Amino acid sequence: MTHFSIDFPQISLAFTEMGTGENILLCASGYKQNKTVFTQLFDIVPKGWKILAFDQAMHGESKWENKNMSFDTAFFSLLWQKLVARYPKSKWHLMGFSMGGKTAMMLEKTAPIKIHQMFFIAPAGVITHPLTHFFSYHFWGSRIFTFFLKKPNLILPLIDFLHKRKLMRPFSYRFIKAQFEPKENRDYMLKFVPIYRNFHFNFEKYAQLLSQKNIEIHVLWGENDEVLPIKQAYYLKKHLPKAKLTILPAQKHNIIETDKMLVSNWLQQILATYE
């Protein structure tokens, strides 16, 4: 196992490399996770493979102090230049869990070389709630969100009101409360929002382009996913009909941590049969 960083001005992305093969599986994890969720899936890396996992902006050991650059397709294009230079003869495959699934899609969009396979575990970006899109990526929406992060007492009573009248999903209520109540979480989000301001795309348009490419797509989803409900898996399958969808009965969203052996077995069986 090797640890290294890929650096840009005031930016450093932390990577871990496992295995010696020429097939590289580039992995991106979920929100507030780090690269170990992928390295822990492998006691032994399958022959012919190299696992390359990285911490995204504001995650794990990565550092992002550049206020003039956001975590988006423009940055991914720059990242690919350094990755391809470091591994010039490799075949590339992409994997992402939750938020990292969206990262994997954006990495594929910007890849200067052929991507052979994509692995998604309950990926974000398939269906984005209109309010999430507004407060995260819209010019004025993000500013309103930032305002409430600085003045949480103006929004928390409204959240409690909606929750008591069952006008908000229980998970959404818990998530919003977790972001707005602790000061350290508000401070994190105040930095997170501008860095991820361009971290979005239209999935339907992207799926049209992706379906025209000869990329093998594997998707894993928990039947009882409370974060990204199972209907999103069927929506993905509708727009990417050639994708191989596996649904795990009774499993929830964070299966990569709670049931890592199931995820490991699913992944390693596919890697072992790749030619």
Side-chain angles (χ1 to χ4, degrees):
M1 185 180 294
T2 303
H3 305 284
F4 64 93
S5 67
I6 291 182
D7 300 323
F8 303 87
Q10 295 181 287
I11 295 171
S12 179
L13 294 188
F15 283 76
T16 295
E17 175 187 311
M18 300 171 64
T20 59
E22 290 300 323
N23 284 294
I24 293 182
L25 181 61
L26 179 60
C27 306
S29 56
Y31 179 67
K32 286 196 173 181
Q33 290 182 326
N34 61 56
K35 56 189 181 299
T36 61
V37 299
F38 288 105
T39 58
Q40 290 175 358
L41 297 178
F42 297 91
D43 292 326
I44 300 176
V45 177
K47 183 179 179 181
W49 286 89
K50 182 185 275 94
I51 309 304
L52 189 61
F54 74 103
D55 291 333
Q56 301 180 86
M58 292 189 65
H59 289 72
E61 299 174 313
S62 289
K63 302 183 186 304
W64 196 290
E65 302 299 333
N66 190 329
K67 296 182 180 180
N68 297 316
M69 186 173 288
S70 61
F71 194 67
D72 56 19
T73 51
F75 172 75
F76 294 145
S77 294
L78 298 176
L79 177 60
W80 271 119
Q81 293 178 20
K82 296 201 174 190
L83 287 171
V84 173
R86 187 180 180 99
Y87 305 99
K89 298 180 180 180
S90 296
K91 293 182 179 179
W92 289 87
H93 312 252
L94 300 174
M95 183 171 183
F97 165 64
S98 196
M99 186 185 88
K102 194 173 183 180
T103 301
M105 295 180 200
M106 295 175 77
L107 282 166
E108 188 281 324
K109 287 179 64 176
T110 55
I113 37 76
K114 176 179 174 57
I115 301 299
H116 294 267
Q117 290 178 304
M118 299 183 75
F119 298 84
F120 299 124
I121 304 173
V126 177
I127 297 177
T128 303
H129 192 282
L131 287 178
T132 300
H133 190 276
F134 176 71
F135 287 118
S136 298
Y137 309 121
H138 188 274
F139 178 83
W140 288 112
S142 62
R143 280 154 179 76
I144 294 171
F145 184 60
T146 297
F147 172 80
F148 284 126
L149 284 171
K150 294 177 179 179
K151 298 182 180 295
N153 291 335
L154 296 179
I155 190 68
L156 287 171
L158 174 62
I159 300 304
D160 289 333
F161 174 85
L162 294 173
H163 174 65
K164 288 178 181 178
R165 283 155 181 77
K166 298 183 179 180
L167 298 174
M168 177 178 289
R169 288 173 53 207
F171 173 81
S172 299
Y173 173 73
R174 294 194 302 271
F175 180 81
I176 293 173
K177 291 277 282 189
Q179 302 311 313
F180 277 92
E181 284 192 330
K183 184 179 184 303
E184 61 271 23
N185 288 354
R186 295 197 303 272
D187 291 343
Y188 182 88
M189 289 303 298
L190 283 169
K191 185 176 180 182
F192 184 95
V193 170
I195 291 175
Y196 283 83
R197 62 187 179 272
N198 296 318
F199 189 67
H200 65 96
F201 57 89
N202 182 297
F203 175 77
E204 291 186 10
K205 291 181 179 179
Y206 171 65
Q208 289 179 352
L209 296 174
L210 183 59
S211 62
Q212 298 171 13
K213 302 177 182 179
N214 186 26
I215 300 177
E216 190 176 300
I217 301 173
H218 298 270
V219 184
L220 187 68
W221 220 294
E223 181 183 36
N224 295 336
D225 193 320
E226 74 284 16
V227 179
L228 301 171
I230 191 65
K231 68 178 183 180
Q232 298 201 21
Y234 299 120
Y235 187 81
L236 180 149
K237 178 69 174 175
K238 175 184 176 181
H239 291 280
L240 293 171
K242 293 183 180 180
K244 299 176 182 179
L245 173 62
T246 300
I247 297 175
L248 296 179
Q251 298 298 320
K252 294 187 177 182
H253 181 67
N254 202 26
I255 49 178
I256 198 169
E257 290 185 325
T258 59
D259 294 280
K260 66 179 182 180
M261 288 306 300
L262 288 175
V263 177
S264 178
N265 290 338
W266 167 78
L267 176 59
Q268 297 218 41
Q269 286 177 10
I270 299 170
L271 298 186
T273 59
Y274 180 77
E275 298 181 358

